[in-house]
């Protein structure tokens, strides 16, 4: 098979995969500690459903049979595509299983997604996401918006990365503020403000002008978007703008409540930032974006928000709130910067030496006996001199070599060699499985 190169599809080396699995394990443990149940949904959804979330069709990978007429396929209303996130398929899952679910339903989901965008640092065409959502039947209390922030703060703080900051806002604040300054195109304002980090205040102002926003309204919106800090700072700065509306006050009350509660439960992790708009227009309450200290150029590694109408059958609505970790984006930076490394390339704890090929069966029996006791073992690929077999183990990071004839096991890291009984021997705990080392 000829060598092919496809950008945007990460394939880690074995030691990198060990680190990724460690991160996934920590995420999974954290979610389950907070009572989230695991589900998995299909990779394929009708394109019409995928487009409900407001994403452009250019990001969706279409799916069709090789011999299918491409023209007819494009016109088929049942056209299928690979999901580009986990929220849309989860909304469908809730609707299809609403009779069997107990609400509020707390789920986590860790799966691959596909997005047809230009690959760059931290952005891939195929990547893994880890989501949590809490969905209610007809209503969902505000305290769940606090809960998902707390859960994500704890999970992310358990990973081998520098400290994180979850920046939060509330869409009611933005919408209420627009009403107070006479802006009727709220979605246009949200789209512009969402670009503040990318194009700056001047660029956002220019885009607002193109939408027909009055100069005074543009200035006030930009003043609002530059407010950030803790609960007291947010309150005083918003009050100083002297803009009032009922929706603005409702959103401010929720944001202050969230900042106050998270400061008590996960201190120093969550901060208010009124520039956070999130470009997707189905968010209705709290919105979240997360950055890693010292790696802000990576962008948000975890984002999400409150939504009230994404899951609806026309008669009943299932509001929810959730956040999503871009696992592949995070892992790519962890590996590139050496933020975490694995002690070995393979899970193998013991390499059983082979005296000669005639006695390989004895080495296999020892390896099987160790495996039956839960100890990862392998047999040497060649019956070479023991020195070469030890070297082969060392190259893969395997800490122990077992010598069948002598009934001894050697720790090639410490150099200790002792007699050992295959029925009772145990490796030192630090060598039983690959260990993850971090620099933070």
């Amino acid at each position: 098979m000829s060598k092919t190169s496809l950008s945007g599809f990460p394939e880690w080396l074995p030691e990198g995969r060990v680190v990724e699995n460690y991160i996934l394990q920590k995420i999974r443990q954290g979610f389950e500690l907070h009572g989230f149940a695991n589900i998995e949904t299909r990779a394929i959804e009708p394109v019409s459903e995928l487009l409900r979330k407001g994403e452009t069709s250019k990001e969706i990978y279409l799916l069709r049979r090789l011999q299918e007429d491409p023209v007819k396929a494009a016109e088929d209303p049942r056209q299928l595509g690979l999901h580009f996130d986990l929220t849309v398929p989860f909304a469908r899952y809730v609707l299809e299983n609403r009779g069997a679910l107990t609400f509020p339903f707390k789920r986590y989901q860790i799966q691959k997604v596909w997005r047809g965008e230009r690959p760059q640092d931290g952005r891939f065409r195929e990547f893994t996401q880890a989501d949590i959502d809490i969905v209610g039947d007809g209503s969902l209390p505000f305290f769940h918006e606090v809960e998902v922030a707390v859960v994500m703060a704890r999970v992310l703080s358990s990973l081998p990365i520098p400290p994180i900051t979850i920046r939060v806002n509330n869409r009611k604040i933005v919408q209420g503020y627009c009403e107070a300054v006479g802006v009727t195109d709220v979605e246009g304002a949200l789209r512009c403000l969402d670009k503040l980090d990318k194009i700056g205040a001047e660029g956002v102002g220019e885009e607002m002008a193109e939408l027909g926003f009055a100069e005074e309204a543009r200035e006030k919106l930009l003043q609002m978007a530059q407010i950030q800090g803790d609960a007291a700072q947010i309150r005083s700065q918003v009050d100083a703008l002297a803009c009032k509306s009922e929706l603005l006050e409702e959103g401010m009350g929720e944001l202050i409540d969230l900042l106050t509660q998270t400061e008590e439960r996960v201190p120093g992790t969550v901060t208010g930032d009124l520039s956070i708009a999130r470009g997707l227009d189905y968010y209705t309450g709290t919105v979240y974006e997360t950055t890693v200290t010292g790696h802000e150029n990576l962008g948000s590694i975890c984002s999400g928000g409150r939504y009230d109408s994404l899951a609806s059958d026309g008669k009943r609505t299932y509001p929810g709130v959730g956040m999503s970790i871009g696992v592949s984006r995070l892992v790519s930076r962890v590996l590139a910067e050496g933020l975490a490394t694995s002690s070995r390339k393979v899970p193998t704890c013991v390499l059983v030496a082979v005296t000669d090929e005639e006695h390989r069966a004895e080495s296999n029996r020892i390896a099987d006996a160790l495996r039956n006791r839960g100890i990862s073992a392998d047999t040497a690929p060649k019956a070479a001199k023991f020195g070469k077999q030890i070297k082969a183990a060392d190259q893969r990071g395997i800490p122990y070599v077992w010598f069948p004839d002598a009934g001894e096991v050697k720790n090639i890291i410490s150099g200790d060699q002792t007699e050992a009984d295959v029925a009772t021997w145990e490796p030192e705990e630090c060598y039983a499985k690959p260990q993850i080392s971090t620099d933070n």
Side-chain angles (χ1 to χ4, degrees):
M1 181 177 180
S2 60
K3 180 180 178 180
T4 59
S5 178
L6 291 175
S7 61
F9 296 84
E11 295 178 327
W12 317 124
L13 291 173
E15 53 267 43
R17 180 64 172 155
V18 172
V19 172
E20 182 181 41
N21 278 334
Y22 170 80
I23 289 174
L24 290 170
Q25 180 185 24
K26 298 292 285 187
I27 292 172
R28 187 174 289 109
Q29 288 175 343
F31 290 165
E32 293 184 356
L33 277 173
H34 289 83
F36 288 79
N38 181 233
I39 68 166
E40 184 170 302
T41 57
R42 66 197 186 203
I44 300 165
E45 297 291 337
V47 171
S48 59
E49 288 299 305
L50 294 174
L51 291 174
R52 286 180 59 216
K53 199 179 174 186
E55 299 285 341
T56 65
S57 58
K58 293 180 180 179
E59 292 186 349
I60 299 172
Y61 279 113
L62 301 181
L63 198 71
R64 66 179 180 85
R65 293 179 293 107
L66 182 62
Q67 302 301 323
E68 190 173 8
D69 186 325
V71 176
K72 290 183 178 180
E75 297 173 348
D76 190 343
R78 300 167 298 175
Q79 189 175 44
L80 302 175
L82 293 172
H83 60 220
F84 56 81
D85 78 350
L86 301 177
T87 305
V88 170
F90 175 58
R92 173 194 53 78
Y93 177 94
V94 169
L95 292 176
E96 291 181 355
N97 295 282
R98 57 190 181 276
L101 298 176
T102 301
F103 295 94
F105 178 48
K106 299 169 63 173
R107 84 82 165 86
Y108 81 88
Q109 201 170 339
I110 303 176
Q111 284 183 240
K112 295 275 191 182
V113 299
W114 295 266
R115 192 169 296 179
E117 59 183 2
R118 183 174 64 86
Q120 51 187 298
D121 183 25
R123 289 188 175 273
F124 304 100
R125 290 170 172 161
E126 178 185 74
F127 53 99
T128 299
Q129 284 190 181
D131 287 23
I132 56 170
D133 280 89
I134 305 174
V135 173
D137 182 358
S139 64
L140 187 73
F142 168 76
F143 68 79
H144 289 300
E145 295 175 47
V146 179
E147 181 179 2
V148 295
V150 170
V151 173
M152 277 303 191
R154 290 173 176 167
V155 168
L156 292 170
S157 296
S158 74
L159 303 182
I161 57 177
I164 58 97
T165 299
I166 300 177
R167 298 185 295 160
V168 297
N169 192 7
N170 193 299
R171 292 290 286 268
K172 296 174 184 176
I173 294 176
V174 183
Q175 186 170 342
Y177 193 80
C178 284
E179 293 176 359
V181 299
V183 172
T184 56
D185 185 3
V186 177
E187 298 306 327
L190 288 168
R191 287 193 299 272
C192 292
L193 293 175
D194 199 37
K195 301 176 183 178
L196 192 59
D197 284 344
K198 297 178 181 178
I199 63 177
E202 184 177 349
V204 170
E206 291 175 355
E207 290 204 0
M208 287 182 177
E210 292 176 2
L211 292 176
F213 290 10
E215 183 177 356
E216 183 180 359
R218 299 199 302 269
E219 291 177 355
K220 285 185 174 295
L221 282 169
L222 287 171
Q223 287 175 350
M224 181 272 297
Q226 295 177 59
I227 293 175
Q228 52 186 276
D230 60 24
Q233 292 168 329
I234 295 288
R235 179 79 267 181
S236 63
Q237 291 179 73
V238 170
D239 287 347
L241 294 176
C243 291
K244 301 290 184 181
S245 81
E246 185 176 339
L247 190 59
L248 171 59
E249 285 306 306
E250 182 182 341
M252 278 297 299
E254 291 181 352
L255 180 60
I256 297 303
D257 193 6
L258 184 145
L259 290 172
T260 302
Q261 291 191 50
T262 54
E263 184 58 28
E264 292 176 356
R265 300 177 66 184
V266 284
T269 306
V270 181
T271 186
D273 187 338
L274 301 196
S275 71
I276 304 300
R278 303 292 299 141
L280 303 178
D281 58 12
Y282 63 82
Y283 288 127
T284 56
T286 304
V287 287
Y288 319 82
E289 287 196 355
T290 309
T291 54
V292 180
T293 302
H295 299 270
E296 289 81 4
N297 64 338
L298 188 60
S300 179
I301 58 147
C302 178
S303 58
R306 166 76 182 240
Y307 50 89
D308 285 330
S309 58
L310 185 65
S312 176
D313 59 7
K315 298 179 180 179
R316 196 160 186 83
T317 297
Y318 299 85
V321 59
M323 295 182 72
S324 173
I325 303 173
V327 177
S328 298
R329 172 179 292 196
L330 195 56
V331 171
S332 68
R333 181 57 60 94
V334 168
L335 297 179
E337 299 292 330
L339 300 178
T341 55
S342 172
S343 61
R344 57 186 190 253
K345 302 177 181 180
V346 294
T348 312
C349 176
V350 181
L351 181 72
V352 182
V354 177
T355 305
D356 54 53
E357 290 301 330
E358 292 181 359
H359 293 86
R360 178 173 288 276
E362 175 59 23
S363 297
N364 288 337
R365 280 192 289 272
I366 293 171
D368 285 341
L370 292 170
R371 293 169 186 143
N372 289 338
R373 296 178 51 234
I375 300 171
S376 178
D378 201 357
T379 53
K382 293 182 180 180
K385 293 181 179 180
F386 283 161
K388 290 186 176 181
Q389 295 189 51
I390 292 172
K391 183 177 180 181
D394 185 49
Q395 288 175 336
R396 289 184 286 173
I398 301 173
Y400 294 99
V401 175
W402 194 290
F403 301 105
D405 286 356
E408 295 181 347
V409 64
K410 182 182 181 68
N411 183 324
I412 62 175
I413 297 174
S414 67
D416 296 335
Q417 184 167 327
T418 59
E419 292 185 0
D421 183 346
V422 73
T424 59
W425 178 82
E426 293 285 347
E428 295 178 58
E429 185 176 354
C430 63
Y431 298 125
K433 295 181 179 179
Q435 301 295 301
I436 301 297
S437 299
T438 65
D439 71 347
N440 64 305

